[in-house]
Amino acid sequence: MVSDGRVENMSCIHGGNTRRKKRHSRENGNPDAVLMKIILSIFLFLMLIFIPPAEAADTSIVGQWHMDNNWQDSSGNGNNGTAYNGATFSTSAKIGTHAGSFDGVDDYVDVGDISAVEGIQKITWETWINPKTSSVIIGKYDSYVAPHPGGFVIDILNNNKLRLFVSDTSDNRLVAETANPLAEINQWQYIAVIFDGSQPNAVDKIKIYYNGVNQPLIFTNTYGFSVIPETTKRLQFGRIRTSDGS
Protein backbone atom coordinates (compact mmCIF):
# COMPACT_ATOMS: atom_id res chain seq x y z
CA MET A 1 0.00 0.00 0.00
CA VAL A 2 1.10 3.57 -0.64
CA SER A 3 0.66 6.49 1.67
CA ASP A 4 -1.60 8.71 -0.40
CA GLY A 5 -4.80 6.71 -0.43
CA ARG A 6 -8.52 7.11 -0.68
CA VAL A 7 -11.34 6.91 1.77
CA GLU A 8 -15.00 6.16 1.21
CA ASN A 9 -17.44 6.83 4.04
CA MET A 10 -20.83 6.24 2.57
CA SER A 11 -22.69 5.54 -0.62
CA CYS A 12 -26.34 5.50 -1.53
CA ILE A 13 -28.20 4.98 -4.79
CA HIS A 14 -31.64 6.46 -5.28
CA GLY A 15 -33.50 5.11 -8.30
CA GLY A 16 -36.65 6.10 -10.13
CA ASN A 17 -39.68 3.91 -10.64
CA THR A 18 -39.52 3.46 -14.42
CA ARG A 19 -37.74 0.25 -15.38
CA ARG A 20 -37.39 -2.00 -18.40
CA LYS A 21 -37.09 -5.74 -18.49
CA LYS A 22 -33.42 -6.69 -18.24
CA ARG A 23 -31.52 -7.96 -21.28
CA HIS A 24 -27.93 -9.07 -21.68
CA SER A 25 -26.98 -8.33 -25.28
CA ARG A 26 -23.35 -7.73 -26.33
CA GLU A 27 -21.78 -5.90 -29.26
CA ASN A 28 -18.27 -4.72 -29.97
CA GLY A 29 -17.22 -1.21 -28.95
CA ASN A 30 -14.20 0.84 -27.98
CA PRO A 31 -14.56 2.50 -24.56
CA ASP A 32 -12.89 5.78 -23.77
CA ALA A 33 -9.29 5.03 -22.87
CA VAL A 34 -9.33 7.35 -19.89
CA LEU A 35 -11.79 5.02 -18.20
CA MET A 36 -9.24 2.22 -18.11
CA LYS A 37 -7.41 3.47 -15.07
CA ILE A 38 -8.15 2.49 -11.52
CA ILE A 39 -8.84 5.08 -8.89
CA LEU A 40 -5.72 6.92 -7.83
CA SER A 41 -5.90 7.92 -4.21
CA ILE A 42 -9.04 9.71 -3.15
CA PHE A 43 -10.58 10.28 0.23
CA LEU A 44 -14.21 9.64 -0.29
CA PHE A 45 -17.41 9.72 1.66
CA LEU A 46 -19.42 7.96 -0.98
CA MET A 47 -23.13 7.99 -1.15
CA LEU A 48 -25.12 7.54 -4.31
CA ILE A 49 -27.66 10.05 -3.14
CA PHE A 50 -27.36 11.41 0.32
CA ILE A 51 -30.30 10.31 2.41
CA PRO A 52 -30.15 10.85 6.18
CA PRO A 53 -30.16 7.55 8.13
CA ALA A 54 -33.68 8.20 9.39
CA GLU A 55 -34.90 7.95 5.80
CA ALA A 56 -33.07 4.73 4.97
CA ALA A 57 -36.36 2.83 4.80
CA ASP A 58 -37.32 4.76 1.65
CA THR A 59 -38.04 2.05 -0.93
CA SER A 60 -36.51 4.16 -3.71
CA ILE A 61 -33.07 3.86 -2.14
CA VAL A 62 -31.11 1.09 -3.85
CA GLY A 63 -28.02 1.24 -1.66
CA GLN A 64 -26.56 3.32 1.14
CA TRP A 65 -23.00 2.70 2.31
CA HIS A 66 -21.82 4.78 5.27
CA MET A 67 -18.43 3.03 5.24
CA ASP A 68 -18.16 3.82 8.94
CA ASN A 69 -15.77 0.96 9.74
CA ASN A 70 -17.79 -1.53 7.65
CA TRP A 71 -18.94 -2.04 4.05
CA GLN A 72 -22.57 -2.81 4.88
CA ASP A 73 -25.53 -1.42 2.96
CA SER A 74 -27.74 0.61 5.31
CA SER A 75 -30.66 0.75 2.88
CA GLY A 76 -31.97 -2.65 3.96
CA ASN A 77 -31.50 -4.11 0.47
CA GLY A 78 -28.56 -6.27 1.44
CA ASN A 79 -26.11 -4.86 -1.11
CA ASN A 80 -23.16 -5.25 1.24
CA GLY A 81 -19.67 -4.63 -0.09
CA THR A 82 -16.61 -6.88 -0.12
CA ALA A 83 -13.17 -5.28 0.06
CA TYR A 84 -10.28 -6.47 -2.10
CA ASN A 85 -6.53 -5.92 -2.17
CA GLY A 86 -6.35 -4.12 1.16
CA ALA A 87 -9.21 -1.62 0.98
CA THR A 88 -9.66 -0.61 4.60
CA PHE A 89 -10.81 2.31 6.80
CA SER A 90 -9.41 5.62 7.96
CA THR A 91 -10.38 7.86 10.85
CA SER A 92 -10.09 10.85 8.50
CA ALA A 93 -13.85 10.87 8.00
CA LYS A 94 -16.19 13.67 7.02
CA ILE A 95 -19.19 12.05 8.70
CA GLY A 96 -19.04 9.37 11.37
CA THR A 97 -15.82 7.98 12.84
CA HIS A 98 -14.36 6.18 9.81
CA ALA A 99 -14.23 6.30 6.04
CA GLY A 100 -13.32 3.61 3.53
CA SER A 101 -9.64 3.89 2.58
CA PHE A 102 -8.05 2.91 -0.75
CA ASP A 103 -4.35 3.00 -1.56
CA GLY A 104 -4.70 4.17 -5.14
CA VAL A 105 -2.92 1.10 -6.51
CA ASP A 106 -5.33 -1.83 -6.54
CA ASP A 107 -7.83 -1.46 -3.66
CA TYR A 108 -11.54 -1.60 -4.41
CA VAL A 109 -14.90 -2.62 -2.96
CA ASP A 110 -17.40 -4.76 -4.88
CA VAL A 111 -21.12 -4.57 -4.06
CA GLY A 112 -22.30 -6.98 -6.75
CA ASP A 113 -24.30 -6.84 -9.96
CA ILE A 114 -27.08 -4.60 -8.66
CA SER A 115 -29.67 -4.76 -11.42
CA ALA A 116 -31.81 -2.10 -9.73
CA VAL A 117 -29.44 0.62 -10.99
CA GLU A 118 -30.03 -0.41 -14.62
CA GLY A 119 -32.96 0.08 -16.96
CA ILE A 120 -34.31 2.92 -14.81
CA GLN A 121 -35.28 6.35 -16.03
CA LYS A 122 -34.05 8.42 -13.10
CA ILE A 123 -31.17 7.93 -10.69
CA THR A 124 -29.08 10.11 -8.37
CA TRP A 125 -25.62 9.49 -6.96
CA GLU A 126 -24.25 11.65 -4.14
CA THR A 127 -20.95 11.57 -2.34
CA TRP A 128 -18.40 13.37 -0.19
CA ILE A 129 -14.93 13.18 -1.68
CA ASN A 130 -11.46 14.24 -0.58
CA PRO A 131 -9.32 13.39 -3.62
CA LYS A 132 -5.56 13.11 -3.93
CA THR A 133 -5.53 12.99 -7.73
CA SER A 134 -7.67 11.99 -10.74
CA SER A 135 -9.70 8.90 -10.02
CA VAL A 136 -12.71 6.71 -10.63
CA ILE A 137 -15.30 7.18 -7.89
CA ILE A 138 -17.77 4.47 -8.83
CA GLY A 139 -18.43 2.37 -11.89
CA LYS A 140 -20.52 -0.44 -13.30
CA TYR A 141 -18.42 -0.92 -16.37
CA ASP A 142 -15.33 -2.70 -17.72
CA SER A 143 -13.25 -0.89 -20.29
CA TYR A 144 -11.11 -3.94 -21.08
CA VAL A 145 -13.86 -6.38 -21.98
CA ALA A 146 -14.91 -7.15 -25.54
CA PRO A 147 -17.61 -7.23 -26.70
CA HIS A 148 -18.44 -3.91 -25.13
CA PRO A 149 -20.31 -4.28 -21.82
CA GLY A 150 -22.07 -0.92 -21.48
CA GLY A 151 -22.71 0.70 -18.12
CA PHE A 152 -21.72 3.93 -16.37
CA VAL A 153 -18.79 5.57 -14.59
CA ILE A 154 -18.48 8.63 -12.38
CA ASP A 155 -14.91 9.88 -12.21
CA ILE A 156 -12.52 12.79 -11.74
CA LEU A 157 -10.53 13.56 -14.88
CA ASN A 158 -6.86 14.55 -15.02
CA ASN A 159 -7.91 18.20 -15.27
CA ASN A 160 -9.95 17.87 -12.03
CA LYS A 161 -13.27 18.04 -13.85
CA LEU A 162 -16.10 15.75 -12.75
CA ARG A 163 -17.69 13.47 -15.34
CA LEU A 164 -20.56 11.05 -15.88
CA PHE A 165 -19.98 8.53 -18.68
CA VAL A 166 -22.93 6.41 -19.85
CA SER A 167 -22.64 3.82 -22.63
CA ASP A 168 -24.55 0.87 -24.05
CA THR A 169 -23.43 -2.37 -25.72
CA SER A 170 -23.39 -0.66 -29.13
CA ASP A 171 -21.00 2.00 -27.77
CA ASN A 172 -23.59 4.76 -27.95
CA ARG A 173 -22.56 7.33 -25.36
CA LEU A 174 -23.91 10.14 -23.25
CA VAL A 175 -20.95 11.89 -21.63
CA ALA A 176 -20.93 15.12 -19.64
CA GLU A 177 -18.15 16.80 -17.69
CA THR A 178 -18.13 19.98 -15.68
CA ALA A 179 -17.06 23.03 -17.68
CA ASN A 180 -14.66 24.03 -14.92
CA PRO A 181 -12.10 22.06 -12.88
CA LEU A 182 -13.73 21.59 -9.50
CA ALA A 183 -12.19 18.75 -7.51
CA GLU A 184 -9.86 20.22 -4.90
CA ILE A 185 -6.96 18.14 -3.65
CA ASN A 186 -6.98 17.28 0.07
CA GLN A 187 -10.33 18.98 0.67
CA TRP A 188 -13.71 17.47 1.47
CA GLN A 189 -16.31 18.35 -1.14
CA TYR A 190 -19.82 17.20 -1.86
CA ILE A 191 -21.03 16.15 -5.30
CA ALA A 192 -24.34 14.96 -6.67
CA VAL A 193 -24.80 13.48 -10.14
CA ILE A 194 -28.30 13.15 -11.60
CA PHE A 195 -29.50 11.24 -14.65
CA ASP A 196 -33.04 11.97 -15.85
CA GLY A 197 -33.94 10.01 -18.98
CA SER A 198 -37.38 11.61 -19.19
CA GLN A 199 -35.88 14.84 -20.52
CA PRO A 200 -36.36 15.12 -24.31
CA ASN A 201 -32.96 16.68 -25.00
CA ALA A 202 -29.73 14.81 -24.31
CA VAL A 203 -28.07 17.87 -22.80
CA ASP A 204 -30.83 18.09 -20.19
CA LYS A 205 -30.51 14.48 -19.03
CA ILE A 206 -27.45 15.01 -16.78
CA LYS A 207 -26.87 17.45 -13.94
CA ILE A 208 -23.80 17.64 -11.72
CA TYR A 209 -23.91 19.56 -8.46
CA TYR A 210 -20.74 20.60 -6.64
CA ASN A 211 -21.16 21.71 -3.01
CA GLY A 212 -24.84 22.28 -3.72
CA VAL A 213 -24.37 24.38 -6.87
CA ASN A 214 -25.61 23.18 -10.27
CA GLN A 215 -22.60 23.25 -12.60
CA PRO A 216 -22.39 24.19 -16.30
CA LEU A 217 -21.53 21.09 -18.33
CA ILE A 218 -19.72 20.22 -21.52
CA PHE A 219 -21.24 17.30 -23.43
CA THR A 220 -18.73 15.30 -25.48
CA ASN A 221 -21.32 12.69 -26.53
CA THR A 222 -25.07 13.23 -26.69
CA TYR A 223 -26.83 9.92 -27.30
CA GLY A 224 -30.36 10.31 -25.94
CA PHE A 225 -30.67 7.44 -23.47
CA SER A 226 -34.12 7.22 -21.88
CA VAL A 227 -32.87 4.81 -19.20
CA ILE A 228 -29.53 3.74 -17.72
CA PRO A 229 -28.25 0.95 -20.03
CA GLU A 230 -28.18 -2.58 -18.67
CA THR A 231 -25.01 -4.54 -18.07
CA THR A 232 -23.92 -7.63 -16.15
CA LYS A 233 -20.82 -5.84 -14.83
CA ARG A 234 -20.51 -5.45 -11.07
CA LEU A 235 -20.89 -2.17 -9.22
CA GLN A 236 -17.58 -1.21 -7.66
CA PHE A 237 -16.13 1.66 -5.66
CA GLY A 238 -12.65 2.72 -6.69
CA ARG A 239 -12.32 1.11 -10.09
CA ILE A 240 -14.18 0.07 -13.22
CA ARG A 241 -12.13 -2.90 -14.39
CA THR A 242 -13.27 -6.38 -13.41
CA SER A 243 -11.51 -8.56 -15.94
CA ASP A 244 -7.98 -8.78 -14.63
CA GLY A 245 -8.01 -7.88 -10.96
CA SER A 246 -6.31 -4.52 -11.29
Side-chain angles (χ1 to χ4, degrees):
M1 295 178 65
V2 297
S3 59
D4 66 340
R6 174 179 81 119
V7 180
E8 301 189 11
N9 271 117
M10 179 175 180
S11 174
C12 175
I13 305 173
H14 191 254
N17 294 323
T18 302
R19 181 169 178 78
R20 298 186 308 174
K21 183 177 180 181
K22 187 167 183 178
R23 296 179 294 108
H24 299 302
S25 61
R26 290 289 181 270
E27 297 181 29
N28 289 323
N30 296 310
D32 192 337
V34 73
L35 294 179
M36 298 178 182
K37 62 186 177 181
I38 61 171
I39 188 163
L40 299 176
S41 63
I42 173 175
F43 283 105
L44 173 63
F45 165 88
L46 181 60
M47 174 178 161
L48 307 183
I49 195 171
F50 180 76
I51 302 295
E55 299 180 24
D58 186 339
T59 56
S60 66
I61 300 177
V62 176
Q64 185 176 36
W65 300 269
H66 293 276
M67 301 186 186
D68 196 359
N69 212 27
N70 66 69
W71 306 112
Q72 294 181 357
D73 173 15
S74 299
S75 72
N77 293 321
N79 296 313
N80 299 323
T82 301
Y84 292 91
N85 301 330
T88 184
F89 300 96
S90 168
T91 56
S92 299
K94 176 66 176 179
I95 298 176
T97 61
H98 291 78
S101 178
F102 301 78
D103 66 2
V105 178
D106 58 0
D107 294 0
Y108 69 99
V109 169
D110 187 305
V111 295
D113 179 13
I114 304 177
S115 60
V117 302
E118 307 161 18
I120 57 175
Q121 190 176 59
K122 298 179 181 180
I123 188 169
T124 301
W125 302 266
E126 293 185 38
T127 180
W128 279 100
I129 61 174
N130 187 344
K132 298 298 182 182
T133 185
S134 58
S135 53
V136 172
I137 297 173
I138 187 170
K140 200 173 192 296
Y141 190 84
D142 189 337
S143 59
Y144 282 176
V145 169
H148 191 55
F152 64 84
V153 178
I154 298 173
D155 58 358
I156 301 172
L157 301 176
N158 289 332
N159 56 12
N160 289 347
K161 294 182 178 182
L162 301 170
R163 176 177 68 167
L164 173 62
F165 177 103
V166 182
S167 176
D168 64 11
T169 57
S170 297
D171 204 20
N172 296 306
R173 301 178 182 184
L174 176 62
V175 183
E177 63 186 56
T178 55
N180 303 306
L182 298 173
E184 296 185 32
I185 303 303
N186 299 318
Q187 297 290 326
W188 284 104
Q189 49 228 281
Y190 189 72
I191 66 171
V193 180
I194 298 172
F195 171 84
D196 182 357
S198 69
Q199 297 298 321
N201 299 317
V203 295
D204 296 322
K205 293 178 184 291
I206 294 177
K207 294 185 182 299
I208 298 178
Y209 288 81
Y210 179 80
N211 288 334
V213 179
N214 190 10
Q215 298 296 313
L217 302 177
I218 296 172
F219 283 78
T220 56
N221 299 84
T222 56
Y223 188 81
F225 292 112
S226 60
V227 298
I228 291 291
E230 294 166 354
T231 176
T232 58
K233 306 317 297 180
R234 301 173 71 83
L235 185 66
Q236 297 179 337
F237 306 140
R239 75 166 192 175
I240 59 173
R241 291 171 56 181
T242 60
S243 59
D244 64 357
S246 63

